[in-house]
Amino acid sequence: MIEDKTPQRTSIAQLGEFGLIDHLTKNFEINQPSTLKGIGDDAAVLDFKDKKVVVSTDLLIEGVHFDLAYMPLKHLGYKAVVVNVSDICAMNAKPTQITVSIAVSNRFPLEALDELFAGITHAAREYNVDVIGGDTTSSQKGLIISITAIGEADEEEIVYRNGAKQTDLLVVTGDIGAAYMGLQVLEREKQVFQVNPNSQPDLDAYTYLIERQLKPEARKDVRTLLHALEIKPTSMIDISDGLSSEIMHLCKQSKVGCNLYEDKLPIDPQFINVCEEFNIDSTTVAINGGEDYELLFTIAMEDFEKIKGNPNFTIIGHMTQESEGIHLVTRANTKIALKARGWDALSE
């Protein structure tokens, strides 16, 4: 396929703010019965009747949360939706609507925003959420995306971070650490490209890790899986900032301790291989990496038989008395105090 060296560039200024809004939102469909009014008025109108509403919002800032050197705009739009939908899933709720706001500099033509919104549209369809509003404005430099996600649940279904009890089992979905190593691969290839722009990266050995970084998926299926097993978690959180940080959030808010077992961590074989290639300890990455968007939750001990052997879940530890502290139990059966080394948005 021959690359078009002179792609069309339509100035956003040609459309104006309202023309741009009309252009970017024309493909959004309304599918949720709770959406009475979406885009086109001063505010959206929702009707959840006897349901409880959950709301979460997130910012993605160029140079902080993403690098357009290797993040395609369509993937970025998709990921921006996923990271917000994941927060709704972490409440054991059903995501139903999102709002999308962007600040964009004049270095982005209309075609670039079309790519971004193609990803947003695809994610909205994939997760069956309605795009019901937002805002557009200019930016001094770079791209800023803010998405607010809305969801619904019966009151008795909602799971908070503060419900874990002593002896509860600690459970995680999927595998962890791959997204971080995908980022390391992409950063390495970016540096190689900067030295030699003619080099073409061979990424075949890293496809899973790169997909976990560039196109993660929120675990919208977990709510249904747990309901079918007749399990309601006692606490839950999504893994965006790293497993260690999320465990500490659960423990702090639930006033419990935890033993996390190194030999129980679910990690992908490709992840292990690439950690060896980079000479990085796989356990360190698995518990601190972040951006996996898997769900971490606790269940009562009596639910063990219901979840035992289920391929969607891995029991990785158990909760203890608060006074016992939070520890990683190594393969050598040594206890090491767990520290939050995951993502900190305000660290220098």
Side-chain angles (χ1 to χ4, degrees):
M1 185 173 178
I2 300 173
E3 181 183 358
D4 183 0
K5 298 296 184 180
T6 57
Q8 183 179 353
R9 287 180 60 89
T10 305
S11 169
I12 294 171
Q14 287 180 228
L15 283 79
E17 182 181 1
F18 298 114
L20 177 62
I21 292 170
D22 289 341
H23 178 86
L24 294 177
T25 62
K26 63 187 177 185
N27 294 321
F28 293 140
E29 302 168 349
I30 299 299
N31 297 301
Q32 295 289 337
S34 52
T35 307
L36 299 186
K37 178 66 178 179
I39 296 168
D41 217 304
D42 289 311
V45 181
L46 310 178
D47 178 14
F48 289 94
K49 296 182 171 63
D50 57 349
K51 299 279 187 181
K52 299 301 177 184
V53 180
V54 293
V55 181
S56 180
T57 192
D58 241 333
L59 274 171
L60 291 177
I61 299 174
E62 184 179 356
V64 178
H65 300 102
F66 60 89
D67 186 336
L68 292 178
Y70 48 72
M71 169 65 84
L73 283 164
K74 190 172 183 179
H75 285 68
L76 176 61
Y78 190 93
K79 183 174 181 176
V81 175
V82 164
V83 302
N84 285 275
V85 166
S86 182
D87 284 333
I88 304 301
C89 296
M91 300 295 293
N92 202 36
K94 172 189 171 186
T96 50
Q97 288 92 5
I98 59 170
T99 66
V100 179
S101 297
I102 60 168
V104 60
S105 71
N106 60 9
R107 91 170 199 265
F108 291 90
L110 179 63
E111 289 73 20
L113 295 190
D114 280 341
E115 279 292 294
L116 178 72
F117 271 73
I120 292 171
T121 304
H122 181 52
R125 289 172 181 159
E126 179 70 24
Y127 290 93
N128 194 27
V129 293
D130 293 340
V131 183
I132 59 167
D135 192 17
T136 58
T137 190
S138 59
S139 165
Q140 287 286 336
K141 60 177 183 178
L143 174 64
I144 300 171
I145 307 169
S146 175
I147 291 184
T148 296
I150 301 164
E152 65 176 35
D154 293 331
E155 187 170 9
E156 62 273 15
E157 293 177 314
I158 297 175
V159 178
Y160 301 95
R161 296 180 181 182
N162 62 0
K165 303 289 190 296
Q166 298 173 27
T167 76
D168 278 0
L169 301 175
L170 184 66
V171 184
V172 70
T173 64
D175 61 81
I176 54 177
Y180 179 85
M181 288 312 298
L183 179 62
Q184 301 315 300
V185 171
L186 290 167
E187 285 287 349
R188 181 184 68 182
E189 296 306 320
K190 175 187 173 182
Q191 291 173 13
V192 171
F193 178 79
Q194 288 173 337
V195 173
N196 180 11
N198 294 319
S199 68
Q200 291 296 315
D202 182 5
L203 301 176
D204 288 347
Y206 314 105
T207 50
Y208 179 66
L209 307 185
I210 290 172
E211 182 177 8
R212 292 283 279 178
Q213 171 58 221
L214 297 184
K215 190 177 176 289
E217 299 291 352
R219 294 306 301 263
K220 64 176 182 178
D221 58 324
V222 169
R223 183 172 183 259
T224 303
L225 289 168
L226 291 174
H227 186 266
L229 294 170
E230 297 182 341
I231 294 174
K232 182 189 175 183
T234 53
S235 67
M236 184 150 60
I237 191 170
D238 78 329
I239 304 176
S240 55
D241 298 334
L243 180 68
S244 58
S245 296
E246 314 303 3
I247 288 174
M248 296 186 80
H249 284 312
L250 292 184
C251 288
K252 181 179 179 181
Q253 296 210 17
S254 296
K255 294 182 170 55
V256 293
C258 179
N259 285 330
L260 169 69
Y261 291 89
E262 182 182 19
D263 62 350
K264 302 296 183 186
L265 295 173
I267 49 181
D268 187 82
Q270 188 176 101
F271 165 78
I272 297 173
N273 292 338
V274 177
C275 283
E276 291 175 354
E277 179 185 334
F278 277 72
N279 196 26
I280 299 175
D281 179 66
S282 60
T283 298
T284 300
V285 175
I287 65 175
N288 297 306
E291 286 203 294
D292 292 307
Y293 299 104
E294 297 292 344
L295 295 180
L296 176 73
F297 59 93
T298 54
I299 61 171
M301 182 73 79
E302 51 264 33
D303 286 331
F304 171 72
E305 291 296 330
K306 298 178 184 176
I307 209 168
K308 181 180 68 173
N310 191 301
N312 297 288
F313 308 114
T314 305
I315 299 170
I316 58 173
H318 63 86
M319 314 316 274
T320 64
Q321 292 182 14
E322 186 177 19
S323 59
E324 292 188 26
I326 307 168
H327 292 93
L328 173 71
V329 181
T330 69
R331 292 183 180 90
N333 205 31
T334 303
K335 276 190 173 184
I336 300 173
L338 198 64
K339 296 181 179 179
R341 293 194 174 96
W343 168 256
D344 181 350
L346 300 180
S347 65
E348 294 184 5

